[in-house]
Amino acid sequence: MQDLERQIAFIKEIDKVKYIQRRTRLFQSDRHENDAEHSWHLAMMTLVLAPHANEPVDVLKVLKMVLIHDIVEIDAGDTFIYDTQKAHENTDEERLAATRIFGILPDDQAQELIAIWEEFEAGETAEARFARSMDRLEPLLQNVSNDGGTWKEFDVDYRKVYEKKEKIRNGSAVLWNYAHGLIEDSVARGILKKED
Amino acid sequence: MQDLERQIAFIKEIDKVKYIQRRTRLFQSDRHENDAEHSWHLAMMTLVLAPHANEPVDVLKVLKMVLIHDIVEIDAGDTFIYDTQKAHENTDEERLAATRIFGILPDDQAQELIAIWEEFEAGETAEARFARSMDRLEPLLQNVSNDGGTWKEFDVDYRKVYEKKEKIRNGSAVLWNYAHGLIEDSVARGILKKED
């Protein structure tokens, strides 16, 4: 198949990302967010928050990461970050999904996007650390705006939230400082449970 | 207000993009697409189709254009491309919207994004021409997959489609060649009306 036909087939395939519902809801809303909306929002956050990264980041690479990071969920489904039954990170199912879906593209593009997705998942480069901090910050902002949101809905407490969100610091100490303040405020407001 | 507070306020404000419904529908679907989903899809198309641009483009700048291009619709609303009552391009209402919404950001970022939005609207640089070709190609692909989609729904004929879509050539002759083929096929399939 010609390159262009493979690219168009990929563009059609990823339309499915718009149907993948997340647990979190839009700001001050009851409507669940889908993965396409989420990915767009992370891209916008990257554009405006990149100056707060701990180290200078290649913004184009971060954008690629956040734009593609959930495409594997077309096959593997969304895993809730606080799900203790299922490992969240880079399962075999997700690797297979990446191979199948990015594999629709011409080989060089498939290899590039699989490598970027792997880099995001590994979280070891400055770009991946920052991209992952975007992915953790957005639902925190949403839950705060929704008076607890998924924390209340799924009985998630301060300790679990702190443990997951603390990794924002790996991408940006400035943003972690802000996020930490929101978490403490949420306890004070009574929308996040904290054991004494 | 501190930079970070302005950036967070902007991030919350643009959540509204997820509620702006387009006339077009998702691929092989009855569900309308919203502007956030549309913008994400154009960003993905940019990543995979940029090699077909007539001239080498700064992909980061094209991504910024497609990610932000519909944010003004928070205030100005979506204007249907085939609406003959209302001019589609860069109305005063849209300029005011850009000033208000991007103006939530710190001044340097506001100025940068307004300039990028203006550049996209003017369509005179290689990046703007390519970004605009993405914006015209996506709904064409959707209408073809929906057996005519908005063409049938709003009685749009071959001549009007050709006239709007022909501008894809300004960004990419390769993609226009492909799009043109789809338009002719659509007439042959009976999903796009052509006067004799």
Side-chain angles (χ1 to χ4, degrees), chain A residues 26-28 31 40-41, chain B residues 10-21 34-36 70-71 73-75 100-101 104:
Chain A
L26 304 188
F27 287 81
Q28 295 181 282
R31 176 156 89 68
W40 171 79
H41 219 150
Chain B
F10 175 78
I11 287 163
K12 290 179 184 170
E13 175 67 16
I14 63 172
D15 200 55
K16 294 174 183 167
V17 170
K18 299 169 191 171
Y19 295 96
I20 304 170
Q21 299 292 307
N34 68 54
D35 274 348
D70 275 342
I71 286 177
E73 296 187 355
I74 289 175
D75 290 352
R100 182 190 75 76
I101 303 166
I104 297 170

PDB file of all heavy atoms in Angstrom, chain A residues 26-28 31 40-41, chain B residues 10-21 34-36 70-71 73-75 100-101 104:
ATOM      1  N   LEU A  26     -15.437  16.587  32.828  1.00  0.00           N
ATOM      2  CA  LEU A  26     -15.018  17.939  32.434  1.00  0.00           C
ATOM      3  C   LEU A  26     -15.099  18.869  33.652  1.00  0.00           C
ATOM      4  O   LEU A  26     -15.696  18.528  34.665  1.00  0.00           O
ATOM      5  CB  LEU A  26     -15.910  18.452  31.302  1.00  0.00           C
ATOM      6  CG  LEU A  26     -15.986  17.578  30.041  1.00  0.00           C
ATOM      7  CD1 LEU A  26     -16.758  18.308  28.933  1.00  0.00           C
ATOM      8  CD2 LEU A  26     -14.606  17.187  29.543  1.00  0.00           C
ATOM      9  N   PHE A  27     -14.515  20.046  33.528  1.00  0.00           N
ATOM     10  CA  PHE A  27     -14.513  21.008  34.634  1.00  0.00           C
ATOM     11  C   PHE A  27     -15.937  21.403  35.013  1.00  0.00           C
ATOM     12  O   PHE A  27     -16.737  21.742  34.138  1.00  0.00           O
ATOM     13  CB  PHE A  27     -13.717  22.261  34.243  1.00  0.00           C
ATOM     14  CG  PHE A  27     -12.231  22.017  34.217  1.00  0.00           C
ATOM     15  CD1 PHE A  27     -11.620  21.411  33.130  1.00  0.00           C
ATOM     16  CD2 PHE A  27     -11.443  22.363  35.311  1.00  0.00           C
ATOM     17  CE1 PHE A  27     -10.246  21.167  33.108  1.00  0.00           C
ATOM     18  CE2 PHE A  27     -10.073  22.125  35.306  1.00  0.00           C
ATOM     19  CZ  PHE A  27      -9.481  21.536  34.198  1.00  0.00           C
ATOM     20  N   GLN A  28     -16.218  21.363  36.293  1.00  0.00           N
ATOM     21  CA  GLN A  28     -17.549  21.728  36.807  1.00  0.00           C
ATOM     22  C   GLN A  28     -18.643  21.104  35.967  1.00  0.00           C
ATOM     23  O   GLN A  28     -19.548  21.791  35.491  1.00  0.00           O
ATOM     24  CB  GLN A  28     -17.719  23.258  36.824  1.00  0.00           C
ATOM     25  CG  GLN A  28     -16.771  23.926  37.794  1.00  0.00           C
ATOM     26  CD  GLN A  28     -16.959  25.425  37.822  1.00  0.00           C
ATOM     27  OE1 GLN A  28     -16.496  26.133  36.922  1.00  0.00           O
ATOM     28  NE2 GLN A  28     -17.652  25.922  38.838  1.00  0.00           N
ATOM     29  N   ARG A  31     -20.267  15.550  32.773  1.00  0.00           N
ATOM     30  CA  ARG A  31     -19.954  14.783  31.563  1.00  0.00           C
ATOM     31  C   ARG A  31     -18.549  14.205  31.625  1.00  0.00           C
ATOM     32  O   ARG A  31     -17.589  14.926  31.879  1.00  0.00           O
ATOM     33  CB  ARG A  31     -20.095  15.650  30.308  1.00  0.00           C
ATOM     34  CG  ARG A  31     -19.681  14.864  29.064  1.00  0.00           C
ATOM     35  CD  ARG A  31     -20.282  15.354  27.796  1.00  0.00           C
ATOM     36  NE  ARG A  31     -19.521  16.381  27.106  1.00  0.00           N
ATOM     37  CZ  ARG A  31     -18.334  16.214  26.527  1.00  0.00           C
ATOM     38  NH1 ARG A  31     -17.703  15.050  26.600  1.00  0.00           N
ATOM     39  NH2 ARG A  31     -17.769  17.215  25.898  1.00  0.00           N
ATOM     40  N   TRP A  40      -6.078  16.596  23.690  1.00  0.00           N
ATOM     41  CA  TRP A  40      -6.026  17.985  23.226  1.00  0.00           C
ATOM     42  C   TRP A  40      -5.723  18.926  24.391  1.00  0.00           C
ATOM     43  O   TRP A  40      -4.901  19.837  24.272  1.00  0.00           O
ATOM     44  CB  TRP A  40      -7.360  18.390  22.572  1.00  0.00           C
ATOM     45  CG  TRP A  40      -7.439  19.855  22.286  1.00  0.00           C
ATOM     46  CD1 TRP A  40      -6.866  20.525  21.247  1.00  0.00           C
ATOM     47  CD2 TRP A  40      -8.094  20.856  23.081  1.00  0.00           C
ATOM     48  NE1 TRP A  40      -7.129  21.874  21.350  1.00  0.00           N
ATOM     49  CE2 TRP A  40      -7.882  22.103  22.466  1.00  0.00           C
ATOM     50  CE3 TRP A  40      -8.850  20.801  24.265  1.00  0.00           C
ATOM     51  CZ2 TRP A  40      -8.391  23.297  22.990  1.00  0.00           C
ATOM     52  CZ3 TRP A  40      -9.356  21.982  24.784  1.00  0.00           C
ATOM     53  CH2 TRP A  40      -9.122  23.216  24.139  1.00  0.00           C
ATOM     54  N   HIS A  41      -6.367  18.661  25.518  1.00  0.00           N
ATOM     55  CA  HIS A  41      -6.167  19.549  26.663  1.00  0.00           C
ATOM     56  C   HIS A  41      -4.721  19.455  27.177  1.00  0.00           C
ATOM     57  O   HIS A  41      -4.101  20.467  27.515  1.00  0.00           O
ATOM     58  CB  HIS A  41      -7.179  19.224  27.767  1.00  0.00           C
ATOM     59  CG  HIS A  41      -7.699  20.451  28.461  1.00  0.00           C
ATOM     60  ND1 HIS A  41      -8.943  20.546  29.007  1.00  0.00           N
ATOM     61  CD2 HIS A  41      -7.113  21.655  28.715  1.00  0.00           C
ATOM     62  CE1 HIS A  41      -9.114  21.744  29.558  1.00  0.00           C
ATOM     63  NE2 HIS A  41      -8.015  22.429  29.393  1.00  0.00           N
TER      64      HIS A  41
ATOM     65  N   PHE B  10      -6.555  30.083  32.149  1.00  0.00           N
ATOM     66  CA  PHE B  10      -6.715  29.819  30.708  1.00  0.00           C
ATOM     67  C   PHE B  10      -7.037  28.343  30.463  1.00  0.00           C
ATOM     68  O   PHE B  10      -7.934  28.012  29.676  1.00  0.00           O
ATOM     69  CB  PHE B  10      -5.430  30.222  29.976  1.00  0.00           C
ATOM     70  CG  PHE B  10      -5.418  29.906  28.511  1.00  0.00           C
ATOM     71  CD1 PHE B  10      -6.100  30.700  27.594  1.00  0.00           C
ATOM     72  CD2 PHE B  10      -4.712  28.815  28.019  1.00  0.00           C
ATOM     73  CE1 PHE B  10      -6.090  30.406  26.232  1.00  0.00           C
ATOM     74  CE2 PHE B  10      -4.686  28.513  26.663  1.00  0.00           C
ATOM     75  CZ  PHE B  10      -5.380  29.315  25.761  1.00  0.00           C
ATOM     76  N   ILE B  11      -6.319  27.480  31.130  1.00  0.00           N
ATOM     77  CA  ILE B  11      -6.535  26.030  30.967  1.00  0.00           C
ATOM     78  C   ILE B  11      -7.972  25.657  31.332  1.00  0.00           C
ATOM     79  O   ILE B  11      -8.598  24.831  30.665  1.00  0.00           O
ATOM     80  CB  ILE B  11      -5.505  25.246  31.813  1.00  0.00           C
ATOM     81  CG1 ILE B  11      -4.120  25.353  31.158  1.00  0.00           C
ATOM     82  CG2 ILE B  11      -5.913  23.780  31.995  1.00  0.00           C
ATOM     83  CD1 ILE B  11      -2.964  24.982  32.074  1.00  0.00           C
ATOM     84  N   LYS B  12      -8.501  26.279  32.366  1.00  0.00           N
ATOM     85  CA  LYS B  12      -9.898  26.017  32.743  1.00  0.00           C
ATOM     86  C   LYS B  12     -10.865  26.608  31.713  1.00  0.00           C
ATOM     87  O   LYS B  12     -11.852  25.973  31.344  1.00  0.00           O
ATOM     88  CB  LYS B  12     -10.199  26.600  34.127  1.00  0.00           C
ATOM     89  CG  LYS B  12      -9.510  25.855  35.250  1.00  0.00           C
ATOM     90  CD  LYS B  12      -9.834  26.503  36.594  1.00  0.00           C
ATOM     91  CE  LYS B  12      -9.068  25.824  37.715  1.00  0.00           C
ATOM     92  NZ  LYS B  12      -9.183  26.578  38.997  1.00  0.00           N
ATOM     93  N   GLU B  13     -10.578  27.813  31.257  1.00  0.00           N
ATOM     94  CA  GLU B  13     -11.476  28.490  30.307  1.00  0.00           C
ATOM     95  C   GLU B  13     -11.652  27.678  29.028  1.00  0.00           C
ATOM     96  O   GLU B  13     -12.768  27.547  28.509  1.00  0.00           O
ATOM     97  CB  GLU B  13     -10.926  29.887  29.967  1.00  0.00           C
ATOM     98  CG  GLU B  13     -11.703  30.654  28.904  1.00  0.00           C
ATOM     99  CD  GLU B  13     -13.110  31.062  29.342  1.00  0.00           C
ATOM    100  OE1 GLU B  13     -13.392  31.035  30.554  1.00  0.00           O
ATOM    101  OE2 GLU B  13     -13.926  31.391  28.453  1.00  0.00           O
ATOM    102  N   ILE B  14     -10.545  27.145  28.522  1.00  0.00           N
ATOM    103  CA  ILE B  14     -10.634  26.463  27.222  1.00  0.00           C
ATOM    104  C   ILE B  14     -11.302  25.089  27.305  1.00  0.00           C
ATOM    105  O   ILE B  14     -11.545  24.453  26.272  1.00  0.00           O
ATOM    106  CB  ILE B  14      -9.255  26.343  26.528  1.00  0.00           C
ATOM    107  CG1 ILE B  14      -8.285  25.501  27.345  1.00  0.00           C
ATOM    108  CG2 ILE B  14      -8.694  27.738  26.225  1.00  0.00           C
ATOM    109  CD1 ILE B  14      -6.978  25.186  26.614  1.00  0.00           C
ATOM    110  N   ASP B  15     -11.656  24.653  28.508  1.00  0.00           N
ATOM    111  CA  ASP B  15     -12.459  23.432  28.617  1.00  0.00           C
ATOM    112  C   ASP B  15     -13.753  23.565  27.811  1.00  0.00           C
ATOM    113  O   ASP B  15     -14.314  22.575  27.347  1.00  0.00           O
ATOM    114  CB  ASP B  15     -12.787  23.175  30.089  1.00  0.00           C
ATOM    115  CG  ASP B  15     -13.186  21.733  30.369  1.00  0.00           C
ATOM    116  OD1 ASP B  15     -12.405  20.822  30.025  1.00  0.00           O
ATOM    117  OD2 ASP B  15     -14.283  21.504  30.919  1.00  0.00           O
ATOM    118  N   LYS B  16     -14.203  24.808  27.643  1.00  0.00           N
ATOM    119  CA  LYS B  16     -15.462  25.081  26.918  1.00  0.00           C
ATOM    120  C   LYS B  16     -15.407  24.639  25.455  1.00  0.00           C
ATOM    121  O   LYS B  16     -16.454  24.437  24.830  1.00  0.00           O
ATOM    122  CB  LYS B  16     -15.801  26.575  26.984  1.00  0.00           C
ATOM    123  CG  LYS B  16     -16.114  27.042  28.399  1.00  0.00           C
ATOM    124  CD  LYS B  16     -16.290  28.559  28.448  1.00  0.00           C
ATOM    125  CE  LYS B  16     -16.526  29.031  29.885  1.00  0.00           C
ATOM    126  NZ  LYS B  16     -16.399  30.518  29.997  1.00  0.00           N
ATOM    127  N   VAL B  17     -14.196  24.518  24.911  1.00  0.00           N
ATOM    128  CA  VAL B  17     -14.049  24.068  23.517  1.00  0.00           C
ATOM    129  C   VAL B  17     -14.677  22.683  23.320  1.00  0.00           C
ATOM    130  O   VAL B  17     -15.134  22.337  22.236  1.00  0.00           O
ATOM    131  CB  VAL B  17     -12.550  24.092  23.116  1.00  0.00           C
ATOM    132  CG1 VAL B  17     -12.313  23.408  21.777  1.00  0.00           C
ATOM    133  CG2 VAL B  17     -12.040  25.534  23.071  1.00  0.00           C
ATOM    134  N   LYS B  18     -14.708  21.902  24.416  1.00  0.00           N
ATOM    135  CA  LYS B  18     -15.252  20.527  24.333  1.00  0.00           C
ATOM    136  C   LYS B  18     -16.775  20.504  24.158  1.00  0.00           C
ATOM    137  O   LYS B  18     -17.353  19.463  23.878  1.00  0.00           O
ATOM    138  CB  LYS B  18     -14.853  19.745  25.590  1.00  0.00           C
ATOM    139  CG  LYS B  18     -13.346  19.609  25.751  1.00  0.00           C
ATOM    140  CD  LYS B  18     -12.955  19.072  27.120  1.00  0.00           C
ATOM    141  CE  LYS B  18     -11.440  19.221  27.332  1.00  0.00           C
ATOM    142  NZ  LYS B  18     -11.036  18.924  28.726  1.00  0.00           N
ATOM    143  N   TYR B  19     -17.406  21.644  24.359  1.00  0.00           N
ATOM    144  CA  TYR B  19     -18.867  21.715  24.233  1.00  0.00           C
ATOM    145  C   TYR B  19     -19.312  22.300  22.894  1.00  0.00           C
ATOM    146  O   TYR B  19     -20.509  22.359  22.623  1.00  0.00           O
ATOM    147  CB  TYR B  19     -19.456  22.583  25.343  1.00  0.00           C
ATOM    148  CG  TYR B  19     -19.275  22.010  26.732  1.00  0.00           C
ATOM    149  CD1 TYR B  19     -18.210  22.400  27.535  1.00  0.00           C
ATOM    150  CD2 TYR B  19     -20.171  21.071  27.237  1.00  0.00           C
ATOM    151  CE1 TYR B  19     -18.043  21.887  28.809  1.00  0.00           C
ATOM    152  CE2 TYR B  19     -20.019  20.549  28.506  1.00  0.00           C
ATOM    153  CZ  TYR B  19     -18.955  20.965  29.293  1.00  0.00           C
ATOM    154  OH  TYR B  19     -18.795  20.444  30.547  1.00  0.00           O
ATOM    155  N   ILE B  20     -18.361  22.775  22.096  1.00  0.00           N
ATOM    156  CA  ILE B  20     -18.743  23.408  20.823  1.00  0.00           C
ATOM    157  C   ILE B  20     -18.915  22.331  19.760  1.00  0.00           C
ATOM    158  O   ILE B  20     -17.953  21.674  19.358  1.00  0.00           O
ATOM    159  CB  ILE B  20     -17.697  24.452  20.385  1.00  0.00           C
ATOM    160  CG1 ILE B  20     -17.490  25.488  21.497  1.00  0.00           C
ATOM    161  CG2 ILE B  20     -18.138  25.130  19.078  1.00  0.00           C
ATOM    162  CD1 ILE B  20     -16.305  26.413  21.267  1.00  0.00           C
ATOM    163  N   GLN B  21     -20.155  22.156  19.330  1.00  0.00           N
ATOM    164  CA  GLN B  21     -20.475  21.099  18.373  1.00  0.00           C
ATOM    165  C   GLN B  21     -20.263  21.584  16.955  1.00  0.00           C
ATOM    166  O   GLN B  21     -20.694  22.672  16.593  1.00  0.00           O
ATOM    167  CB  GLN B  21     -21.949  20.694  18.524  1.00  0.00           C
ATOM    168  CG  GLN B  21     -22.293  20.147  19.894  1.00  0.00           C
ATOM    169  CD  GLN B  21     -21.637  18.812  20.162  1.00  0.00           C
ATOM    170  OE1 GLN B  21     -21.769  17.891  19.386  1.00  0.00           O
ATOM    171  NE2 GLN B  21     -20.910  18.707  21.272  1.00  0.00           N
ATOM    172  N   ASN B  34     -16.944  17.497  18.396  1.00  0.00           N
ATOM    173  CA  ASN B  34     -16.775  18.800  19.026  1.00  0.00           C
ATOM    174  C   ASN B  34     -15.398  19.371  18.672  1.00  0.00           C
ATOM    175  O   ASN B  34     -14.530  18.676  18.122  1.00  0.00           O
ATOM    176  CB  ASN B  34     -17.043  18.744  20.539  1.00  0.00           C
ATOM    177  CG  ASN B  34     -16.005  17.955  21.302  1.00  0.00           C
ATOM    178  OD1 ASN B  34     -14.805  18.225  21.209  1.00  0.00           O
ATOM    179  ND2 ASN B  34     -16.465  16.981  22.089  1.00  0.00           N
ATOM    180  N   ASP B  35     -15.228  20.654  18.975  1.00  0.00           N
ATOM    181  CA  ASP B  35     -14.014  21.347  18.533  1.00  0.00           C
ATOM    182  C   ASP B  35     -12.725  20.809  19.157  1.00  0.00           C
ATOM    183  O   ASP B  35     -11.655  20.898  18.537  1.00  0.00           O
ATOM    184  CB  ASP B  35     -14.134  22.844  18.865  1.00  0.00           C
ATOM    185  CG  ASP B  35     -14.860  23.632  17.773  1.00  0.00           C
ATOM    186  OD1 ASP B  35     -15.077  23.086  16.682  1.00  0.00           O
ATOM    187  OD2 ASP B  35     -15.194  24.807  18.030  1.00  0.00           O
ATOM    188  N   ALA B  36     -12.799  20.274  20.370  1.00  0.00           N
ATOM    189  CA  ALA B  36     -11.586  19.727  21.003  1.00  0.00           C
ATOM    190  C   ALA B  36     -11.158  18.453  20.277  1.00  0.00           C
ATOM    191  O   ALA B  36      -9.975  18.252  19.981  1.00  0.00           O
ATOM    192  CB  ALA B  36     -11.822  19.455  22.489  1.00  0.00           C
ATOM    193  N   ASP B  70      -9.648  26.934  16.881  1.00  0.00           N
ATOM    194  CA  ASP B  70     -11.078  27.075  17.143  1.00  0.00           C
ATOM    195  C   ASP B  70     -11.394  27.617  18.534  1.00  0.00           C
ATOM    196  O   ASP B  70     -12.575  27.687  18.911  1.00  0.00           O
ATOM    197  CB  ASP B  70     -11.792  25.728  16.937  1.00  0.00           C
ATOM    198  CG  ASP B  70     -12.155  25.492  15.470  1.00  0.00           C
ATOM    199  OD1 ASP B  70     -12.182  26.472  14.696  1.00  0.00           O
ATOM    200  OD2 ASP B  70     -12.416  24.335  15.104  1.00  0.00           O
ATOM    201  N   ILE B  71     -10.387  28.000  19.289  1.00  0.00           N
ATOM    202  CA  ILE B  71     -10.628  28.500  20.652  1.00  0.00           C
ATOM    203  C   ILE B  71     -11.506  29.755  20.636  1.00  0.00           C
ATOM    204  O   ILE B  71     -12.327  29.957  21.524  1.00  0.00           O
ATOM    205  CB  ILE B  71      -9.274  28.723  21.385  1.00  0.00           C
ATOM    206  CG1 ILE B  71      -8.680  27.360  21.772  1.00  0.00           C
ATOM    207  CG2 ILE B  71      -9.454  29.611  22.625  1.00  0.00           C
ATOM    208  CD1 ILE B  71      -7.323  27.430  22.444  1.00  0.00           C
ATOM    209  N   GLU B  73     -14.006  30.230  19.070  1.00  0.00           N
ATOM    210  CA  GLU B  73     -15.427  29.858  18.971  1.00  0.00           C
ATOM    211  C   GLU B  73     -16.104  29.760  20.337  1.00  0.00           C
ATOM    212  O   GLU B  73     -17.331  29.684  20.414  1.00  0.00           O
ATOM    213  CB  GLU B  73     -15.576  28.556  18.177  1.00  0.00           C
ATOM    214  CG  GLU B  73     -15.120  28.737  16.733  1.00  0.00           C
ATOM    215  CD  GLU B  73     -15.389  27.530  15.842  1.00  0.00           C
ATOM    216  OE1 GLU B  73     -15.852  26.492  16.355  1.00  0.00           O
ATOM    217  OE2 GLU B  73     -15.132  27.630  14.634  1.00  0.00           O
ATOM    218  N   ILE B  74     -15.319  29.775  21.411  1.00  0.00           N
ATOM    219  CA  ILE B  74     -15.922  29.836  22.754  1.00  0.00           C
ATOM    220  C   ILE B  74     -16.846  31.058  22.827  1.00  0.00           C
ATOM    221  O   ILE B  74     -17.950  30.985  23.353  1.00  0.00           O
ATOM    222  CB  ILE B  74     -14.827  29.924  23.847  1.00  0.00           C
ATOM    223  CG1 ILE B  74     -14.091  28.592  23.971  1.00  0.00           C
ATOM    224  CG2 ILE B  74     -15.432  30.345  25.195  1.00  0.00           C
ATOM    225  CD1 ILE B  74     -12.903  28.625  24.938  1.00  0.00           C
ATOM    226  N   ASP B  75     -16.387  32.173  22.270  1.00  0.00           N
ATOM    227  CA  ASP B  75     -17.219  33.383  22.266  1.00  0.00           C
ATOM    228  C   ASP B  75     -17.973  33.566  20.954  1.00  0.00           C
ATOM    229  O   ASP B  75     -19.103  34.055  20.952  1.00  0.00           O
ATOM    230  CB  ASP B  75     -16.354  34.643  22.473  1.00  0.00           C
ATOM    231  CG  ASP B  75     -15.801  34.742  23.884  1.00  0.00           C
ATOM    232  OD1 ASP B  75     -16.192  33.931  24.751  1.00  0.00           O
ATOM    233  OD2 ASP B  75     -14.965  35.632  24.120  1.00  0.00           O
ATOM    234  N   ARG B 100      -9.836  38.452  24.194  1.00  0.00           N
ATOM    235  CA  ARG B 100     -10.300  38.112  25.537  1.00  0.00           C
ATOM    236  C   ARG B 100      -9.710  36.795  26.038  1.00  0.00           C
ATOM    237  O   ARG B 100      -9.175  36.715  27.143  1.00  0.00           O
ATOM    238  CB  ARG B 100     -11.834  37.998  25.593  1.00  0.00           C
ATOM    239  CG  ARG B 100     -12.323  37.695  27.024  1.00  0.00           C
ATOM    240  CD  ARG B 100     -13.795  37.330  27.127  1.00  0.00           C
ATOM    241  NE  ARG B 100     -14.118  35.999  26.676  1.00  0.00           N
ATOM    242  CZ  ARG B 100     -13.884  34.861  27.356  1.00  0.00           C
ATOM    243  NH1 ARG B 100     -13.285  34.893  28.531  1.00  0.00           N
ATOM    244  NH2 ARG B 100     -14.237  33.688  26.853  1.00  0.00           N
ATOM    245  N   ILE B 101      -9.794  35.751  25.201  1.00  0.00           N
ATOM    246  CA  ILE B 101      -9.462  34.414  25.707  1.00  0.00           C
ATOM    247  C   ILE B 101      -7.945  34.237  25.826  1.00  0.00           C
ATOM    248  O   ILE B 101      -7.449  33.832  26.874  1.00  0.00           O
ATOM    249  CB  ILE B 101     -10.083  33.306  24.823  1.00  0.00           C
ATOM    250  CG1 ILE B 101     -11.610  33.491  24.758  1.00  0.00           C
ATOM    251  CG2 ILE B 101      -9.730  31.930  25.390  1.00  0.00           C
ATOM    252  CD1 ILE B 101     -12.297  32.690  23.670  1.00  0.00           C
ATOM    253  N   ILE B 104      -6.178  36.009  28.719  1.00  0.00           N
ATOM    254  CA  ILE B 104      -6.146  35.467  30.090  1.00  0.00           C
ATOM    255  C   ILE B 104      -4.713  35.068  30.455  1.00  0.00           C
ATOM    256  O   ILE B 104      -4.314  35.128  31.614  1.00  0.00           O
ATOM    257  CB  ILE B 104      -7.102  34.239  30.204  1.00  0.00           C
ATOM    258  CG1 ILE B 104      -8.547  34.661  29.940  1.00  0.00           C
ATOM    259  CG2 ILE B 104      -6.964  33.561  31.570  1.00  0.00           C
ATOM    260  CD1 ILE B 104      -9.532  33.493  29.794  1.00  0.00           C
TER     261      ILE B 104
END
